Amino acid sequence: MCNINVEKTLKEADGLLNGHFCLTSGLHSDTYFQCAKLYQYPDIVEKLASELAKQFENIEFDTIVAPAIGAVIFGYEVAKQSKKRNLFVERKDGIMQLRRGYSLKKNEKVIIIEDVITTARTIFETKEALKPFECEIVGVGCIVDRTQGKLDNEFKIYSLLKSSPVTYKPEECPLCKKGIPLVKPGSRV
């Protein structure tokens, strides 16, 4: 259980937005978690990362891997709090890759860290990027889990906040039908 009120912390940092948003997943929602706003405050990030790292205390793992750009800072801080190695994957030509001379050993135990997970598209892309190294993904951690349990068969997700904001397929979005302007604040172009 997290000892920090994550929702309140996000609101205070202007990281919990209401309106009409296109999420990184392509879905639309009236709620957007802009965790990057938290990264302005290293002391808050340290506390959140420490809380998430506590959830990994009974898990055997070697390395944290975070997808760029949104989770790099948080992944680094979780690795620091866990006293583990930290790597990140990034896009090149639209494909997530482990670059910059980074590598993993066969059977190395990895936890993927993300900021917000809705459909886990970026998690699946990260997993695909790590596949050539034959490492073992032993968990996924995040600040906000919006999956509503839909990925429980795929991944063990450790989070600081579980949230169930409504999401819509673009063609079914009532906010679009009302003509409310769509905002895309995410990192994926």
Side-chain angles (χ1 to χ4, degrees):
M1 183 57 76
C2 183
N3 292 319
I4 297 172
N5 185 327
V6 177
E7 191 168 339
K8 180 179 179 221
T9 302
L10 279 160
K11 283 180 184 174
E12 290 172 352
D14 293 325
L16 178 52
L17 311 174
N18 294 303
H20 181 197
F21 304 100
C22 181
L23 307 177
T24 302
S25 64
L27 298 174
H28 291 197
S29 182
D30 64 354
T31 305
Y32 190 83
F33 293 96
Q34 182 59 280
C35 290
K37 292 281 194 153
L38 296 172
Y39 303 155
Q40 301 174 90
Y41 309 104
D43 57 325
I44 292 172
V45 175
E46 181 179 19
K47 288 174 188 169
L48 291 171
S50 177
E51 287 294 319
L52 190 58
K54 287 177 190 173
Q55 295 186 37
F56 304 141
E57 287 177 347
N58 295 317
I59 299 171
E60 182 185 330
F61 72 102
D62 307 297
T63 304
I64 295 284
V65 176
I69 188 166
V72 171
I73 292 171
F74 192 61
Y76 172 84
E77 190 61 37
V78 173
K80 179 180 166 190
Q81 297 298 321
S82 301
K83 297 181 177 18
K84 300 294 182 178
R85 186 165 76 123
N86 175 64
L87 305 175
F88 62 89
V89 293
E90 60 190 309
R91 289 186 199 289
K92 182 178 180 198
D93 302 324
I95 298 169
M96 202 63 86
Q97 300 175 29
L98 191 63
R99 301 178 60 214
R100 302 177 189 265
Y102 292 152
S103 66
L104 293 159
K105 295 178 185 146
K106 185 175 183 177
N107 300 318
E108 188 168 342
K109 293 178 178 7
V110 171
I111 291 179
I112 298 172
I113 296 294
E114 180 61 294
D115 53 1
V116 180
I117 304 172
T118 302
T119 64
R121 179 175 157 194
T122 303
I123 299 296
F124 285 110
E125 290 175 321
T126 301
K127 181 179 176 184
E128 191 64 27
L130 301 181
K131 194 182 263 184
F133 298 96
E134 300 180 53
C135 60
E136 181 184 351
I137 298 169
V138 296
V140 173
C142 62
I143 298 171
V144 181
D145 176 0
R146 293 180 61 142
T147 66
Q148 302 175 45
K150 294 176 187 165
L151 298 169
D152 288 352
N153 292 332
E154 293 284 336
F155 302 107
K156 172 65 176 153
I157 298 177
Y158 302 85
S159 68
L160 299 176
L161 174 66
K162 290 195 183 298
S163 180
S164 301
V166 177
T167 57
Y168 308 99
K169 293 179 183 174
E171 63 275 9
E172 299 170 1
C173 179
L175 304 170
C176 287
K177 291 176 181 157
K178 289 180 182 176
I180 299 171
L182 181 66
V183 178
K184 186 173 183 175
S187 61
R188 187 176 305 196
V189 182

